[in-house]
Amino acid sequence: MIKRHKHHSQPIMRRSARVYLNDINTGKRQILIQFLHLYHDVTQYFVDLFWQREDYSAALADLPTVHRGRDRFSLTTRLAQATAKQAKETIRSQRKVMNRKPRLRSHTATLCYHFVTIEPFDGAFDYAVKLGGAGVPKMVVPVKSTSA
């Protein structure tokens, strides 16, 4: 895992990190790629929906809206809530900069503690990223540590 940008000279707690998936097998890689494409499509759907409704508030999405995305993409409600929350954050950050509808370009997923745990890994790798629960594919992804 590596920090995207070095912001401080003093060591602080990392809130996000990049994970390079060069060492996982092809089966896990394909499952993760499919999941990231689905997550991207659902998040873009919610961005389009909130932008069309002109809903720029910081409040979480209401349940009928979450169920609309859940039914359209065959997700769990918890995963649909996570994608709707990321869509709201994307819209609010874009709204402050320019008045143009955001278009998601990268396939990233913001997953909370409901879906991801990070633990030490015994063996050739340093950490085990455990995914699973509520619509996220269940798997263990071994990750090597990189220098900050």
Side-chain angles (χ1 to χ4, degrees):
M1 292 188 275
I2 188 169
K3 237 172 30 170
R4 192 170 194 177
H5 304 287
K6 186 173 183 175
H7 295 287
H8 301 285
S9 60
Q10 296 178 348
I12 59 172
M13 184 175 81
R14 293 184 187 175
R15 294 191 61 185
S16 65
R18 282 185 160 186
V19 176
Y20 297 103
L21 302 175
N22 299 330
D23 298 322
I24 63 172
N25 61 26
T26 56
K28 286 182 182 180
R29 183 183 307 251
Q30 291 301 322
I31 291 170
L32 282 176
I33 287 172
Q34 285 177 338
F35 173 72
L36 287 175
H37 281 289
L38 175 67
Y39 195 94
H40 175 269
D41 294 343
V42 174
T43 307
Q44 185 64 52
Y45 170 75
F46 279 123
V47 165
D48 295 341
L49 185 66
F50 294 139
W51 193 269
Q52 180 183 11
R53 291 180 180 176
E54 297 181 1
D55 184 3
Y56 310 120
S57 68
L60 294 176
D62 58 343
L63 204 54
T65 303
V66 171
H67 286 174
R68 186 173 174 182
R70 177 200 67 185
D71 296 338
R72 181 178 177 125
F73 291 97
S74 301
L75 300 174
T76 61
T77 303
R78 182 169 280 180
L79 188 59
Q81 285 174 336
T83 55
K85 181 179 178 185
Q86 184 173 349
K88 284 269 194 163
E89 292 169 356
T90 303
I91 286 177
R92 287 189 55 80
S93 67
Q94 185 70 17
R95 182 82 172 144
K96 293 176 184 175
V97 177
M98 61 181 66
N99 198 5
R100 189 181 320 169
K101 181 176 77 170
R103 186 174 144 251
L104 301 176
R105 293 190 176 125
S106 62
H107 289 71
T108 59
T110 303
L111 298 175
C112 61
Y113 68 94
H114 297 293
F115 309 116
V116 178
T117 57
I118 301 172
E119 297 177 0
F121 190 78
D122 296 331
F125 297 96
D126 298 320
Y127 299 104
V129 178
K130 293 184 179 182
L131 301 171
V136 177
K138 188 172 185 175
M139 69 176 65
V140 176
V141 179
V143 178
K144 291 183 179 178
S145 178
T146 58
S147 62

